[in-house]
Amino acid sequence: MLNTTAQDHATEGTTESAMLAFASQPCRRLVPVILAGGSGTRLWPMSRGQFPKQLIGVVATTSLLQATATRMRGFAGDFDVDVQPIIVCGEEHRFTTDEQMRSCGVEATIIVEPVRRDTAPALTLAALQAMKDGQDAIIVAMPADHSIADSAALHHAISVAAVYAQRGMIATLGIPPTRPDTAFGYIRIGDALDDGAHLIERFVEKPAPELAAQYVASGIYWWNSGIFIVRASVWLRALARFNAEMYAECIAARKGGHDDGKFIRPCPAAFGRVPSDSIDYAVMERLSEQNAPCEGAVVPLVAGWSDLGSWDAVWEAMEKDKFGNVASGRVIFEGATSSYARSEGGRLVACVGTSNLIVVETDDAVLVADRSCAQDIKGLVERIHEQHAPEAETHRKVRRPWGFYDSIEHGERFQVKRIVVTPGARLSLQMHHHRAEHWIVVCGTALVTRGDEQFLLSENQSTYIPIGVRHRLENPGKVQLEIIEVQSGAYLGEDDIVRLEDTYGRASAAYG
């Protein structure tokens, strides 16, 4: 929960005076905030509901989230950067987010949104967390799923923006456009400030092609990067002025929430009442209103930025061969031009005579699309949802806090899974009403609970779990445990699980 000092400064009726008092004090502390609640449906079939694009390696072997979390390393300037970023993510992604942070050596504060409410409430939760010790901070809010090639240029732009944030303005980084593009929102720049910055005249929606061309030709419209630099107190004051309901419910959600030792969890009931809105709509587009509590500034960022909002954008961001092709994984081009091909499932992808094509192969789905139609993939995913097909939400390989499982084969009354459990981890204590399970240890040592029994299995040993018997699988060793599970029964759905006990505090259903 928030401490008494921060709560007192953020209560209704004292918002203006308290936040003005904060903003009048010097502040040199930069707190990186990573907004990781997106779904990234346009990068299907790699990005899915349970494993969205920020968690995958789109342009490198590390994920976009990991790249964002380490982006402020080496920052050298007049401001002090907190080494522990604040990450705001969804309930279903919390364990993978935590695992990826540990694997890249980042100790992060993770705030878990009970439901998705867009970027403005997420930033508000982060601002409250940044002020939990009663001190103000300059927030550097970054989307988790963008690519930036030049970290030094980013650091310089943030240093410039932080000066304006320190003065009580809300600063954002704008991208001088290199081409007309209808996939981005634009910022109309106003009067010039120092260091290449400008006042923000207004934000504009994603334009039609003709209007986008006019914007670029005029030289006074920049792309909206979605990166914001603002004092926490200034953000809270502006939100309280423009959207009092969102502000009040975020305060209530934070006060009514709890810290479970690993994650900060706002109150689900209060956060469920929070209106859903973006940073742009909730605050930024209203800064030009009369009597707005602060001004907006935009600082140019020329650093090889991409929002990776489509497979076409991924193709644009990556190094190409002499024919304009981009390959990832086992890919062969023959007479192809300007194509993107990715083999994720390990199969060979061969493109012969293709032009401006996208081909993405995974274990359970293959996408073939014209690059000019890359934005239409979002509609395709909506149709997959309507058919209640699992490929919209999950991959064949499903990650869990204890490791992962991979559905290798299935039929009418059987299913075969490969289960990998990390050292020291264990699945929930559970039982099934409709299926029995056979476990075969392939690698490592398994500690098995079956009814009132508990015993060890080593490589090439197996056991049988009858229907209705409580059971648990654990890895007591120092190497990964790998087993093959053969399920048999009348119903094999993941909702045929009754969790009796769970180390990770998860709900009663869903696998493991």
Side-chain angles (χ1 to χ4, degrees), residues 116-132:
R116 291 180 182 174
R117 285 296 180 264
D118 216 323
T119 54
L123 181 57
T124 304
L125 293 178
L128 293 170
Q129 177 64 23
M131 295 180 67
K132 68 180 178 63

Side-chain angles (χ1 to χ4, degrees), residues 402 404-406 408 416-421 427 437-448 457-463 465 471-475 480-486 511:
W402 42 259
F404 68 87
Y405 70 86
D406 187 359
I408 299 171
V416 181
K417 290 184 175 179
R418 172 178 172 243
I419 298 175
V420 175
V421 186
L427 282 67
E437 295 173 344
H438 298 255
W439 292 347
I440 306 166
V441 177
V442 176
C443 179
T445 300
L447 177 60
V448 177
L457 294 177
S458 57
E459 292 181 20
N460 299 319
Q461 293 183 324
S462 62
T463 191
I465 310 295
H471 58 278
R472 168 177 267 159
L473 178 66
E474 304 180 47
N475 181 357
Q480 282 190 336
L481 166 65
E482 181 175 344
I483 75 166
I484 298 299
E485 176 183 87
V486 180
Y511 190 83

Side-chain angles (χ1 to χ4, degrees), residues 143 146 172-175 185 187 223-228 301 305 307:
H146 290 183
T172 187
L173 304 186
I175 314 298
I187 300 170
W223 291 338
N224 178 9
S225 73
I227 301 172
F228 297 91
L301 174 64
W305 170 90
D307 75 338

Side-chain angles (χ1 to χ4, degrees), residues 350-400:
C351 297
V352 180
T354 63
S355 180
N356 298 307
L357 202 65
I358 296 165
V359 181
V360 181
E361 177 267 349
T362 67
D363 286 325
D364 59 351
V366 177
L367 169 72
V368 180
D370 191 289
R371 276 184 40 228
S372 65
C373 299
Q375 295 292 334
D376 298 337
I377 294 173
K378 181 177 181 180
L380 170 70
V381 176
E382 290 174 356
R383 292 183 59 190
I384 296 172
H385 268 294
E386 291 171 0
Q387 296 175 5
H388 305 289
E391 289 83 2
E393 284 294 316
T394 61
H395 289 274
R396 201 186 77 176
K397 179 179 177 180
V398 178
R399 289 161 178 83
R400 288 289 182 255

